[in-house]
Amino acid sequence: MTAKSYSFTHAITRKPSRSIINGLRAVDTGTPDLDLFCRHHDDYIAALASTGATITTLEALEDFPDAVFVEDAALCLPEGAVIMRPGAPTRLGEAAAIRSDLARFYDEIVPVEGPGFIEGGDILTTEHEILVGQSARTNSAGIAELRRITARWGYRVREVQTPPDVLHFKTDCSLLDAETILAAPRLSGTGCFDGLRVLQTADGEDACANAIRFNNLVLMPAGFARTADMLADHGYDVREIGNSEAAKLDGGMSCLSLRFSPPPKQ
Ligand code: CIR
């Protein structure tokens, strides 16, 4: 059986813009270098494409410095797409902008209506449910809207808590397969993954919890050897991708793509 939570025919990415130097960040650890960011981004796209999926790379959006983190603007499910309502005011326009791009793949596209907020980085879709972490960017009203929208497709939405001072729920976790989550200890300790197998990031390597399972591969940020080795020992085919520049803007592997299998077009 194909697992819909990590088997995908398509992904959407967006080229980094020159304005990336103005991207949001919790702590300023330096200005991202656009050339290096682009090289890492090319490696990321090549890894996704190597699985046989079709990758669409959208043009950069200079007006939106964080638009390379395309995951936050939408949630793409096999039945339809949901346009997010980002809690970061500078990112609201990204959600509107992606709608026409998704229309190439989806007949059914439903926007989250205000006043709530929700960003894709707070959403982890497992084989059985949609987990959404409340955070500084995602509130209960936004989560309730997502629950209302996805109920038509039969989904269960479970509200959980993103740890304090962590940008997004998926900053601290990733789906590895239908039963397994990779998580930073500070998140798995909350018990939100009870019933699933949890592999914890190695001591001091919380920053690599944002990985992605994409078909046969697990993409993770380079430089976290103990966690990478642990995942390989568990049988995962790990690809390490340079992430130094995205990390300066609190971005990781999941943020850089929308991963999905669209329904056949009517
Ligand atoms: C932001 O603060 O919104 C961006 N600099 C980083 C977004 C990362 N996205 C994600 O984790 N899904």
Side-chain angles (χ1 to χ4, degrees):
M1 195 190 85
T2 311
K4 64 179 178 178
S5 56
Y6 61 88
S7 303
F8 304 108
T9 57
H10 290 70
I12 291 176
T13 63
R14 186 185 292 285
K15 284 184 192 157
S17 60
R18 289 187 303 282
S19 61
I20 192 89
I21 55 173
N22 298 319
L24 297 171
R25 64 209 80 177
V27 178
D28 197 353
T29 60
T31 305
D33 177 294
L34 179 61
D35 288 341
L36 184 53
F37 203 129
C38 288
R39 289 205 293 280
H40 291 161
H41 199 250
D42 288 346
D43 293 344
Y44 178 85
I45 291 169
L48 297 180
S50 76
T51 70
T54 302
I55 316 300
T56 302
T57 299
L58 306 175
E59 286 307 313
L61 287 181
E62 290 297 338
D63 288 347
F64 298 101
D66 288 293
V68 67
F69 302 117
V70 71
E71 167 182 73
D72 295 317
L75 176 67
C76 295
L77 296 167
E79 300 83 359
V82 184
I83 306 294
M84 296 288 111
R85 191 159 186 275
T90 58
R91 302 201 61 191
L92 263 175
E94 293 173 35
I98 203 139
R99 190 177 179 140
S100 56
D101 299 302
L102 290 175
R104 288 158 55 186
F105 302 100
Y106 285 100
D107 290 324
E108 196 165 6
I109 302 176
V110 189
V112 166
E113 304 288 354
F117 292 102
I118 183 163
E119 296 191 357
D122 280 313
I123 304 175
L124 182 77
T125 305
T126 73
E127 209 57 30
H128 309 290
E129 62 182 347
I130 300 176
L131 279 165
V132 191
Q134 200 193 105
S135 72
R137 301 285 184 86
T138 294
N139 61 16
S140 284
I143 298 171
E145 255 288 277
L146 184 70
R147 181 177 294 117
R148 184 186 68 77
I149 291 168
T150 57
R152 74 193 70 187
W153 301 316
Y155 287 92
R156 182 174 104 99
V157 169
R158 179 157 63 98
E159 181 169 335
V160 290
Q161 200 63 45
T162 300
D165 301 323
V166 172
L167 175 60
H168 284 131
F169 185 63
K170 275 188 300 191
T171 304
D172 264 9
C173 67
S174 336
L175 183 89
L176 291 174
D177 59 39
E179 292 86 35
T180 315
I181 304 287
L182 173 68
R186 67 185 164 199
L187 177 59
S188 59
T190 68
C192 65
F193 300 123
D194 285 358
L196 291 161
R197 177 172 77 140
V198 178
L199 301 180
Q200 290 194 346
T201 51
D203 273 356
E205 294 192 350
D206 288 12
C208 72
N210 182 268
I212 51 170
R213 175 74 189 268
F214 189 79
N215 298 323
N216 54 313
L217 298 182
V218 173
L219 273 62
M220 64 175 287
F224 301 92
R226 282 174 301 135
T227 304
D229 288 348
M230 180 272 291
L231 292 177
D233 288 346
H234 278 88
Y236 296 104
D237 189 350
V238 175
R239 294 298 146 86
E240 295 184 60
I241 308 287
N243 191 57
S244 56
E245 306 317 290
K248 289 173 185 167
L249 303 178
D250 309 318
M253 295 294 109
S254 77
C255 330
L256 293 169
S257 60
L258 288 165
R259 303 161 295 279
F260 60 107
S261 302
K265 270 286 213 180
Q266 298 302 306

Coordinates of all heavy atoms in Angstrom, one line a residue, residues 1-35:
M1 N 0.8 -1.2 0.0 CA 0.0 0.0 0.0 C 0.9 1.3 0.0 O 1.9 1.3 0.7 CB -0.9 0.0 1.2 CG -2.0 1.0 1.2 SD -2.9 1.1 2.8 CE -1.9 2.3 3.6
T2 N 0.5 2.3 -0.8 CA 1.2 3.5 -0.8 C 0.8 4.4 0.4 O -0.4 4.6 0.6 CB 0.9 4.3 -2.1 OG1 1.1 3.4 -3.2 CG2 1.9 5.4 -2.3
A3 N 1.8 4.9 1.1 CA 1.5 5.7 2.3 C 1.3 7.2 1.8 O 2.3 7.8 1.3 CB 2.6 5.6 3.3
K4 N 0.1 7.7 2.0 CA -0.1 9.1 1.4 C 0.6 10.1 2.2 O 0.8 11.2 1.7 CB -1.6 9.3 1.4 CG -2.3 9.4 2.7 CD -3.8 9.7 2.7 CE -4.3 9.7 4.1 NZ -5.7 10.0 4.2
S5 N 1.0 9.8 3.4 CA 1.7 10.8 4.2 C 3.1 11.1 3.8 O 3.7 12.0 4.3 CB 1.6 10.4 5.7 OG 2.2 9.2 5.9
Y6 N 3.7 10.2 3.0 CA 5.1 10.5 2.6 C 5.4 10.0 1.1 O 6.5 10.2 0.7 CB 6.1 9.9 3.6 CG 6.1 8.4 3.7 CD1 6.8 7.6 2.9 CD2 5.3 7.9 4.7 CE1 6.8 6.2 3.1 CE2 5.3 6.5 4.9 CZ 6.0 5.7 4.1 OH 6.0 4.3 4.2
S7 N 4.4 9.5 0.4 CA 4.6 9.2 -1.0 C 3.9 10.3 -1.8 O 2.7 10.6 -1.7 CB 3.9 7.9 -1.3 OG 4.4 6.8 -0.5
F8 N 4.7 10.9 -2.6 CA 4.2 12.1 -3.3 C 4.6 12.1 -4.8 O 5.8 11.7 -5.1 CB 4.8 13.4 -2.7 CG 4.5 13.6 -1.3 CD1 5.5 13.4 -0.3 CD2 3.2 13.9 -0.8 CE1 5.2 13.6 1.1 CE2 2.9 14.0 0.5 CZ 3.9 13.9 1.5
T9 N 3.7 12.5 -5.7 CA 4.1 12.6 -7.1 C 4.6 14.0 -7.4 O 5.3 14.2 -8.5 CB 2.8 12.4 -7.9 OG1 1.8 13.3 -7.6 CG2 2.3 11.0 -7.7
H10 N 4.4 15.0 -6.6 CA 4.7 16.4 -6.9 C 5.3 17.1 -5.7 O 5.0 16.8 -4.6 CB 3.5 17.2 -7.3 CG 2.9 16.8 -8.7 ND1 2.3 15.6 -8.9 CD2 2.9 17.4 -9.9 CE1 1.9 15.5 -10.1 NE2 2.3 16.6 -10.7
A11 N 6.1 18.2 -6.0 CA 6.5 19.2 -5.0 C 6.5 20.5 -5.7 O 6.8 20.6 -6.9 CB 7.8 18.8 -4.4
I12 N 6.3 21.5 -4.9 CA 6.4 22.9 -5.3 C 7.5 23.6 -4.5 O 7.5 23.4 -3.2 CB 5.1 23.7 -5.2 CG1 4.1 23.2 -6.2 CG2 5.3 25.2 -5.4 CD1 2.7 23.8 -6.1
T13 N 8.4 24.2 -5.1 CA 9.4 25.1 -4.4 C 9.4 26.5 -5.0 O 8.7 26.7 -6.0 CB 10.8 24.5 -4.6 OG1 11.2 24.6 -5.9 CG2 11.0 23.1 -4.1
R14 N 10.0 27.4 -4.3 CA 10.1 28.8 -4.9 C 11.5 29.3 -4.8 O 12.2 29.1 -3.8 CB 9.2 29.7 -4.1 CG 9.1 31.1 -4.8 CD 8.3 32.1 -4.0 NE 6.8 31.8 -4.0 CZ 6.0 32.1 -5.0 NH1 6.4 32.5 -6.2 NH2 4.7 31.9 -4.8
K15 N 12.0 29.9 -5.9 CA 13.4 30.4 -5.9 C 13.6 31.4 -4.8 O 12.7 32.3 -4.6 CB 13.7 31.1 -7.2 CG 13.9 30.1 -8.4 CD 14.3 30.9 -9.6 CE 14.3 30.0 -10.8 NZ 14.1 30.8 -12.1
P16 N 14.7 31.4 -4.1 CA 15.0 32.5 -3.1 C 15.1 33.8 -3.9 O 15.6 33.9 -5.0 CB 16.4 32.1 -2.6 CG 16.6 30.7 -3.0 CD 15.8 30.4 -4.2
S17 N 14.6 34.9 -3.2 CA 14.7 36.2 -3.8 C 15.9 37.0 -3.2 O 16.4 36.6 -2.2 CB 13.4 37.0 -3.5 OG 13.3 37.1 -2.0
R18 N 16.3 38.1 -3.9 CA 17.3 38.9 -3.4 C 16.9 39.5 -2.1 O 17.8 39.8 -1.2 CB 17.7 40.1 -4.4 CG 18.3 39.6 -5.7 CD 18.8 40.8 -6.5 NE 17.7 41.7 -6.9 CZ 16.8 41.4 -7.9 NH1 16.9 40.3 -8.6 NH2 15.8 42.2 -8.1
S19 N 15.6 39.7 -1.9 CA 15.1 40.3 -0.6 C 15.3 39.3 0.6 O 14.9 39.7 1.7 CB 13.7 40.7 -0.8 OG 12.9 39.6 -1.1
I20 N 15.8 38.1 0.3 CA 15.9 37.1 1.4 C 16.7 37.7 2.6 O 16.5 37.2 3.7 CB 16.5 35.8 0.8 CG1 16.4 34.7 1.8 CG2 18.0 36.0 0.5 CD1 15.2 33.9 1.7
I21 N 17.6 38.6 2.3 CA 18.4 39.2 3.3 C 17.5 39.9 4.4 O 18.0 40.1 5.5 CB 19.5 40.2 2.8 CG1 18.8 41.3 2.0 CG2 20.5 39.5 2.0 CD1 19.7 42.4 1.6
N22 N 16.3 40.2 4.0 CA 15.4 40.8 5.0 C 14.4 39.8 5.6 O 13.4 40.2 6.2 CB 14.6 41.9 4.3 CG 15.5 43.0 3.7 OD1 16.4 43.4 4.4 ND2 15.2 43.5 2.5
G23 N 14.6 38.6 5.4 CA 13.7 37.5 6.0 C 13.6 37.6 7.5 O 14.6 38.1 8.2
L24 N 12.5 37.2 8.0 CA 12.3 37.1 9.5 C 13.2 36.2 10.1 O 13.6 35.2 9.6 CB 10.8 36.7 9.7 CG 9.7 37.6 9.2 CD1 8.4 36.9 9.4 CD2 9.7 38.9 9.9
R25 N 13.6 36.5 11.4 CA 14.5 35.6 12.2 C 14.3 36.0 13.6 O 14.0 37.1 14.0 CB 15.9 35.8 11.8 CG 16.5 37.1 12.1 CD 17.6 37.5 11.1 NE 17.1 38.0 9.8 CZ 17.9 38.4 8.9 NH1 19.2 38.4 9.0 NH2 17.4 38.9 7.7
A26 N 14.3 34.9 14.5 CA 14.1 35.1 15.9 C 15.3 35.8 16.5 O 15.2 36.7 17.3 CB 13.8 33.8 16.6
V27 N 16.5 35.4 16.0 CA 17.8 35.9 16.5 C 18.7 36.2 15.3 O 18.7 35.3 14.4 CB 18.5 34.8 17.4 CG1 19.9 35.4 17.9 CG2 17.6 34.4 18.6
D28 N 19.3 37.3 15.3 CA 20.1 37.6 14.1 C 21.5 36.9 14.2 O 22.3 37.3 15.1 CB 20.3 39.1 14.0 CG 20.8 39.5 12.6 OD1 21.1 38.6 11.8 OD2 20.8 40.7 12.3
T29 N 21.7 35.9 13.4 CA 23.0 35.2 13.4 C 23.8 35.5 12.1 O 24.7 34.8 11.8 CB 22.8 33.7 13.6 OG1 22.0 33.2 12.5 CG2 22.1 33.3 14.9
G30 N 23.3 36.5 11.4 CA 24.1 36.9 10.2 C 23.1 36.9 9.0 O 22.0 36.4 9.0
T31 N 23.6 37.6 8.0 CA 22.8 37.8 6.8 C 22.9 36.6 5.8 O 24.1 36.2 5.5 CB 23.2 39.1 6.0 OG1 23.2 40.1 6.9 CG2 22.4 39.4 4.8
P32 N 21.9 36.0 5.3 CA 22.0 34.9 4.4 C 22.7 35.3 3.1 O 22.5 36.4 2.6 CB 20.6 34.4 4.1 CG 19.7 35.2 5.0 CD 20.5 36.3 5.6
D33 N 23.6 34.4 2.6 CA 24.3 34.7 1.4 C 23.4 34.1 0.2 O 23.2 32.9 0.2 CB 25.6 34.0 1.5 CG 26.4 34.1 0.2 OD1 26.0 33.5 -0.9 OD2 27.5 34.7 0.2
L34 N 22.9 34.9 -0.7 CA 22.0 34.4 -1.7 C 22.6 33.4 -2.6 O 21.9 32.4 -2.9 CB 21.5 35.6 -2.5 CG 20.5 35.3 -3.6 CD1 19.2 34.6 -3.1 CD2 20.2 36.5 -4.5
D35 N 23.8 33.5 -3.0 CA 24.4 32.5 -3.9 C 24.5 31.1 -3.2 O 24.1 30.1 -3.8 CB 25.8 32.9 -4.3 CG 25.8 34.1 -5.3 OD1 24.7 34.3 -5.9 OD2 26.8 34.8 -5.4

